[in-house]
Amino acid sequence: MRCGRGRSARARVGGLPGGFVPLLVTYAVLTAVGVVLAGWAHTRAKALGRL
């Protein structure tokens, strides 16, 4: 999967120093943020009667 100016998202995040653990933590944090935002959007859609 390609993102932006010809660099994949993995190449961007993979450029972080420290190896595998920081990369894993970064993915976990980004996933958690996505879950929270999706839950918030779902709640707002229900409140507005769009579901």
Side-chain angles (χ1 to χ4, degrees):
M1 184 172 161
R2 306 293 283 186
C3 294
R5 300 177 179 147
R7 294 183 70 195
S8 69
R10 183 175 178 164
R12 290 180 192 188
V13 178
L16 293 175
F20 179 73
V21 173
L23 181 61
L24 185 63
V25 170
T26 301
Y27 280 133
V29 167
L30 291 175
T31 301
V33 168
V35 167
V36 169
L37 287 175
W40 175 82
H42 178 74
T43 302
R44 292 296 302 146
K46 279 179 72 173
L48 294 172
R50 295 184 181 174
L51 286 179

